[in-house]
Amino acid sequence: MNEKNTTLWESAGKAGLVLGGVSIAYLLITMLTGRIAENGPIFLMTLVNFLLWTAKFAGCIYLMRFFMLRFSQADPEADNARVFRFGMLTALLSALLYSAAYLAYTSFIAPDTFDQALDIIRDNPLVDANTLEQMEEMIPQMPTVSFFVNLIYCWLFGTVLSAIFSRNIPPQNPFINQP
């Protein structure tokens, strides 16, 4: 691997660690507020969780742009395509970190997460017995399925975000080749 690719992976790894860390922190905080909500006002906890989600969403967008700008400034030869690759790699690494944390959460910390969701579905009179039986059969695979769904969703979201931001990072100068 040449030095440019090493720099790309190293920078993307650090940025992915921060972005994944923000999402994991959000997961843990909402887990704690969920435990508090069991004994407290549900409306207040819903509002707090919505505000936390909004802060995480806006923070991740801001951090992605920040890291892409910083990468572009650190590598003066980086063009829009290289900055896009950096953003896409950052998105992949942060998605992998967050998905692994969510897999651990649903497998070890709160293994009854999907069982609780199924209990809510059981109370729905519109769900027939066959559908309920199929859902019960899927429950053991749900942590793995959620890992891949999170991985793909987060990576695609980050890739689209990278495509949007990389169009102007570094800024285009249409007169650069003019005599």
Side-chain angles (χ1 to χ4, degrees), residues 10-27 55-70 83 85-99 101 154-155 157-159 161-162 165:
E10 185 177 317
S11 299
K14 290 175 185 176
L17 188 62
V18 172
L19 284 168
V22 167
S23 296
I24 291 168
Y26 167 76
L27 175 69
K56 178 201 73 134
F57 187 74
C60 285
I61 291 172
Y62 171 79
L63 284 172
M64 179 64 99
R65 186 171 187 283
F66 170 79
F67 285 123
M68 290 175 76
L69 283 169
R70 195 165 103 183
V83 172
R85 280 193 302 273
F86 167 79
M88 197 168 72
L89 189 56
T90 298
L92 177 66
L93 295 174
S94 69
L96 185 62
L97 184 65
Y98 173 72
S99 298
C154 293
W155 179 64
F157 180 79
T159 299
L161 200 59
S162 297
F165 287 148

Side-chain angles (χ1 to χ4, degrees), residues 16-152:
L17 188 62
V18 172
L19 284 168
V22 167
S23 296
I24 291 168
Y26 167 76
L27 175 69
L28 295 175
I29 290 170
T30 55
M31 177 185 69
L32 293 175
T33 58
R35 303 247 191 256
I36 294 170
E38 292 173 358
N39 301 325
I42 294 175
F43 174 75
L44 182 62
M45 286 301 122
T46 303
L47 180 64
V48 167
N49 282 341
F50 175 73
L51 292 174
L52 286 170
W53 178 84
T54 304
K56 178 201 73 134
F57 187 74
C60 285
I61 291 172
Y62 171 79
L63 284 172
M64 179 64 99
R65 186 171 187 283
F66 170 79
F67 285 123
M68 290 175 76
L69 283 169
R70 195 165 103 183
F71 176 77
S72 175
Q73 291 168 352
D75 185 1
E77 296 177 11
D79 59 350
N80 299 89
R82 185 161 168 80
V83 172
F84 171 71
R85 280 193 302 273
F86 167 79
M88 197 168 72
L89 189 56
T90 298
L92 177 66
L93 295 174
S94 69
L96 185 62
L97 184 65
Y98 173 72
S99 298
Y102 190 77
L103 176 66
Y105 174 76
T106 57
S107 296
F108 305 113
I109 298 172
D112 60 337
T113 301
F114 297 109
D115 290 326
Q116 290 173 352
L118 189 61
D119 289 341
I120 293 169
I121 293 172
R122 279 188 186 109
D123 295 338
N124 188 340
L126 299 176
V127 178
D128 65 349
N130 291 333
T131 304
L132 195 57
E133 182 181 334
Q134 289 175 348
M135 288 181 177
E136 287 172 349
E137 291 175 7
M138 286 179 53
I139 291 295
Q141 289 85 24
M142 286 309 294
T144 305
V145 169
S146 66
F147 170 83
F148 286 107
V149 167
N150 272 324
L151 181 68
I152 293 167

